Each structure stands twice: as C-alpha cells, then as structure tokens.
Amino acid sequence: MMRRALVTGVTGQDGSYLAELLLSKGYEVHGIVRRSSSFGTQRIEHLYNPLEHQRGSLKLHYGDLSDGNGLARTIREVAPHEVYNLAAQSHVRVSFDQPTYTADVTAVGVLRLLEAIRDVQDSSGQQIRFYQASSSEMFGKVVETPQKETTPFYPRSPYGVAKLYAHWITTNYRESYGLFACCGILFNHESPRRGETFVTRKITRAATRIKLGLQDKLFLGNLDAKRDWGFAGDYVEAMWLMLQQDEPDDFVVSTDELYSVREFCEKTFSRLGLDYQDYVEIDPRYYRPAEVELLLGSSEKARSKLGWKPKTSFDQLVDMMVAGDMQLAQRESMSAGQALPHFFKAA
C-alpha cells in the first residue's frame, strides 16, 4: 500500500528536502501552500512531473495554519498516514516585529492542526502519525551545555516562546488523547535553499556577490553568537525516522559541534580568496532585543534510538552553500552584462 504524507510548509527549505525524501521512498506526498499573489514554489518545482496531470506523486493544496476548518477539510480529503508540520513564521528577528502573527501561526496554528488530526482520526479510526518541528531556540538562555531532551527551556524571542507552546501542546495531545505525536528539537540547519534573510545564507549570498563585484559590503549583527549548524537534507531523514518508531517520542537533532557567526564568515570568504574583515561591518539594527549567545545540541538519543547521524560536515555545508550562491551570482552578473573573472567562465 502506498503511504500518504501531508506536509505543511512544503515550499520551504525543510519541506522541499522532506518531499524529496518521501517521494524517493514511494510515498504519495501532499503539501499545503498559502495563497499569495506570487508563486513561491521554486524549491519544489523540480519535483513536478509536467507529463502527469496531477504533477506526479506531489500534490498541492491551498491552506493556512490560521484556518482550522480548512486544515480539517484537507486532512479528510487526503487521509494521510503521516502529517509533518514544518509551517511557521520562522524568522527569529522578525518575530520581535510581528509577535502576534508569530504566536497565531507558530503556536496556535499547531493547536488547530492537532485538533483537526484528532477529529479526523476519531471519526475515521485511522491512526495519523504527527511530526512537530520544534526548535533549539526554545532553549534560548541555556541553563546547561550541551542541550538535550531533558534540558529546561528558556526562550528569548517571541518565536522561541511560540515554538515552546507548540512543543508542549503536542506533548499534551500525545499524553491526553493517545496521538502518535513526535517533536524534533532541531538545531540550526542550513542549505543552498535556505532563505536569504537567514544569517548563513545572507553570508554566502553576499560573499559570492562581493567576489563578482556585485556588492561592496555585508552588514551583520552579533558575530560572536555560536550555533550548532547542520545540513537540512540530513535533518529531514531524522523527521521521517521518528514517525517510523513503535512509540512516539521527542528527539534533539544536531551535529554536536559549535561554530560562531564569525567563523562562518571566515570560512565562506576564505573559500573565495577573500578576507571577511575587509567586507563585513556591524549594524546594530541586526541585534536582537534579547540575544541567544550559544546553542549546542547533544543528539545522543537520536543516534542511539533512531540510528541517525549527520552525514554532512560543517566544511562541506559551507562549500555547498558557496557553490550554490556562486551560480546565482554568475547568472546575475551575466544578466547585468558584466564580465566574469576568467576562472568562473563556463568552459
């Protein structure tokens, strides 16, 4: 029997990698996308089969975490075996500017989704396994290092607080109603598909543009913030593994290695033969009202119980992102009619 999965946030970084993984495993994949005036499906365009009327095994549905009735209707229509909630207002700095919206979507939106799953499951009798994307930002002002599943939470942003509500309401529905519901406490995970406003992608995008003369400076906030950075393509495998277990549980997913924003800058610019100190300037506007200085995970539980471990090193991640953004910068340079350095010209 072909298994069906429903993925919210399917057009995002994680959603696109998860859809790829599920399709490779023979799933019928359904994704929820928000209606907007412009297309936002760039990350999943390659998954469409133009020869198939219904775009192969990936099918999209309009929906939003602010619409509980719509979520319930989509779940009834799809009848998924697994639901992965990757949708959120996910930018930490933006959450300070839009705290109410962040709370409504990132926190209460999960409650709406859980209620829809519970109602459909009760009426149909079919078990629906649920994955909630929790976040290392819930640890915030950390009380112990490294952070593991039992580490107390201390969120330092509206985003972190919203994710904490979503995490605990998922736990509550698991314990109250017997839902097969898992939370993946994922530490920072990046890729060439990362949004350009997130710091790692902001760095690789700017560095490659600077290399080709398309940009002069890169403005950043706290260079001394330290994070545990992994590859999103590795992390979605852990999501899937959680829903294949006999019992639901929560897991930290991380590389267990720590690097600063400054080190990310240094590695990125050095790969292009540049010194980051010549181009990076501090802009106080990018500091958060409450900073999170250090996040370092301990993924021992995921490694032992799920058999999962990261496959991509920090250096490989930087190389991957630099290569992807260099291709973008090359296309941008050529469209602007600028000459490329000889070592970047196509053979």
Side-chain angles (χ1 to χ4, degrees), residues 268-305:
T268 297
F269 278 83
S270 67
R271 278 157 173 72
L272 299 167
L274 302 173
D275 185 342
Y276 82 95
Q277 297 180 85
D278 295 333
Y279 305 98
V280 175
E281 295 187 8
I282 303 301
D283 188 335
R285 291 177 300 175
Y286 294 116
Y287 279 89
R288 302 172 184 175
E291 287 286 339
V292 174
E293 298 295 340
L294 182 154
L295 293 174
L296 173 64
S298 171
S299 58
E300 180 181 353
K301 181 178 175 181
R303 294 174 191 243
S304 62
K305 291 194 173 183

Side-chain angles (χ1 to χ4, degrees), residues 87-127:
Q89 191 302 100
S90 60
H91 199 287
V92 176
R93 183 62 189 84
V94 170
S95 75
F96 285 100
D97 300 324
Q98 294 187 301
T100 304
Y101 173 73
T102 300
D104 184 55
V105 173
T106 307
V108 183
V110 179
L111 174 60
R112 296 186 186 104
L113 187 54
L114 286 166
E115 271 292 283
I117 290 171
R118 184 167 74 95
D119 287 346
V120 172
Q121 184 169 285
D122 287 348
S123 61
S124 68
Q126 175 187 310
Q127 184 189 63

Side-chain angles (χ1 to χ4, degrees), residues 128-145:
I128 301 173
R129 298 191 169 205
F130 177 69
Y131 171 83
Q132 166 58 22
S134 292
S135 169
S136 60
E137 287 287 334
M138 299 187 308
F139 294 119
K141 188 177 180 181
V142 299
V143 299
E144 69 175 356
T145 298

Side-chain angles (χ1 to χ4, degrees), residues 313-334:
S313 70
F314 181 73
D315 285 346
Q316 288 172 328
L317 175 62
V318 174
D319 287 343
M320 181 192 310
M321 294 180 68
V322 169
D325 277 327
M326 180 53 72
Q327 291 182 351
L328 284 180
Q330 287 176 338
R331 289 197 291 270
E332 185 180 356
S333 182
M334 287 186 287

Side-chain angles (χ1 to χ4, degrees), residues 18-60:
L18 179 61
E20 283 181 350
L21 176 70
L22 295 174
L23 289 171
S24 74
K25 294 182 178 296
Y27 278 67
E28 178 182 304
V29 181
H30 296 257
I32 292 180
V33 297
R34 288 176 297 166
R35 174 70 179 93
S36 67
S37 58
S38 60
F39 290 111
T41 56
Q42 298 90 337
R43 294 185 180 96
I44 56 174
E45 290 291 343
H46 65 289
L47 300 178
Y48 294 159
N49 182 348
L51 300 179
E52 294 288 341
H53 176 66
Q54 294 190 334
R55 295 179 170 178
S57 294
L58 175 62
K59 303 173 180 64
L60 300 182

